[in-house]
Amino acid sequence: KITGGQRVDMFGARLEQLPHIWRRLVDAGFESGHAYGKSLRTVKSCVGSTWCRFGVQDSTTLAVALELRYRGLRAPHKFKLGVSGCARECAEARGKDVGIIATDRGWNLYVGGNGGFTPRHAELLAEDLDTETLVRTIDRFLMYYIRTADRLQRTAPWMADVEGGLDGVRAVVMDDSLGIAAELDAAMAQHVDRYEDEWKATLEDPEKLRRFASFVNAPTQPDPTLAYVTERGQRRPATAAERAAGAALGMTDEPVLVAGPTLEVRA
Ligand code: SF4
């Protein structure tokens, strides 16, 4: 499936198949979209001034640059960005942790939005920023959030808790009220320098690859508890009722299970 966040979701793969799938994807130039991590998910954008008569800035180019900059950045929770090329807001940027909306003079920056259970519009942090100032401000906002939020706390509740709220955040990231701006900048620069595609790195690490087997004594053996049926011409996991009605999957010599059908992920 092509997701709303422009990722390609691939469903139904078994654990031991993942390295083979990723080998082909990495060789074809694909990168991990980090849908599994507490990290940047996606930067949604509209078509912007390149393709839309209402556009006042090139939202697509900015969105690509931001995604390349923040990809893989680990955080207390997932976070999303959006970039709209004018005030019509087709990218729904104000529903993101960091939302950017083009103006005639630059970019307006909004922070602390999200969808989900408790939808919240992002609040205006700064107006009419040039691109360089915008990126520096986002760098500091994200690093300040990463360093001070609780585990599993998204930007909206963090902003409700953080000292001074929106004004306090603005003072820290724009006026360096705590004297930590250089430290935040350096931390983001280090992230950008050290980024590597996690799947590419995993494929080159035999120790990590050993985790992608369901059984220690039969690494190529699929987990027999997995069962699939076909719907709309696609394979999907069988429901409990479908499994009960299906053929028995008994194995006489049960291999040793070292991991379930999913890998344990630390929150
Ligand atoms: S937000 Fe503005 S520039 Fe972007 S697609 Fe919508 S109308 Fe066009």
Side-chain angles (χ1 to χ4, degrees):
K1 178 181 182 294
I2 308 293
T3 73
Q6 304 150 19
R7 286 186 302 260
V8 181
D9 275 1
M10 301 182 74
F11 296 107
R14 296 191 309 266
L15 191 62
E16 76 282 359
Q17 294 174 319
L18 293 176
H20 302 289
I21 292 169
W22 270 106
R23 168 55 62 203
R24 295 180 68 176
L25 291 173
V26 167
D27 287 349
F30 284 82
E31 267 189 12
S32 168
H34 296 100
Y36 44 80
K38 304 299 180 205
S39 59
L40 174 71
R41 292 298 169 88
T42 48
V43 184
K44 182 175 179 178
S45 81
C46 73
V47 293
S49 56
T50 312
W51 299 102
C52 176
R53 65 196 166 106
F54 297 118
V56 292
Q57 305 287 350
D58 182 359
S59 53
T60 306
T61 294
L62 179 64
V64 170
L66 294 175
E67 189 157 306
L68 292 175
R69 187 169 184 79
Y70 302 126
R71 60 187 171 175
L73 178 63
R74 288 297 192 269
H77 210 307
K78 66 182 177 184
F79 64 95
K80 301 179 180 181
L81 277 69
V83 188
S84 282
C86 80
R88 286 170 182 79
E89 246 285 66
C90 296
E92 299 165 330
R94 290 196 63 197
K96 309 297 182 196
D97 299 273
V98 175
I100 299 133
I101 300 177
T103 71
D104 290 333
R105 285 176 291 180
W107 307 97
N108 284 354
L109 174 59
Y110 298 81
V111 292
N114 58 243
F117 266 122
T118 317
R120 191 175 185 282
H121 267 142
E123 295 178 281
L124 182 64
L125 185 76
E127 287 181 279
D128 295 326
L129 301 175
D130 61 72
T131 304
E132 187 183 337
T133 309
L134 172 80
V135 173
R136 188 173 62 239
T137 308
I138 299 171
D139 283 359
R140 292 178 184 174
F141 172 79
L142 289 174
M143 273 300 163
Y144 187 39
Y145 160 65
I146 288 167
R147 296 200 161 189
T148 60
D150 289 335
R151 285 177 70 209
L152 299 179
Q153 188 176 39
R154 283 198 72 173
T155 55
W158 169 71
M159 288 190 59
D161 284 356
V162 74
E163 193 175 334
L166 178 66
D167 290 339
V169 171
R170 185 183 292 116
V172 171
V173 302
M174 304 205 67
D175 305 327
D176 196 14
S177 61
L178 295 180
I180 59 170
E183 195 183 315
L184 300 177
D185 293 346
M188 188 60 80
Q190 188 179 69
H191 160 75
V192 174
D193 283 350
R194 292 187 180 176
Y195 170 79
E196 63 175 3
D197 177 58
E198 289 168 0
W199 261 108
K200 188 166 185 290
T202 299
L203 291 172
E204 292 161 2
D205 185 336
E207 207 40 51
K208 284 185 181 160
L209 281 177
R210 276 163 47 86
R211 298 168 62 194
F212 293 89
S214 294
F215 304 101
V216 285
N217 57 345
T220 58
Q221 171 76 47
D223 180 348
T225 64
L226 300 176
Y228 298 91
V229 294
T230 301
E231 184 172 324
R232 296 183 302 270
Q234 300 167 317
R235 251 164 46 112
R236 65 155 173 82
T239 64
E242 288 163 343
R243 294 167 72 100
L249 292 171
M251 294 181 69
T252 49
D253 287 324
E254 289 273 322
V256 181
L257 189 65
V258 291
T262 53
L263 282 177
E264 186 183 338
V265 176
R266 266 177 286 160

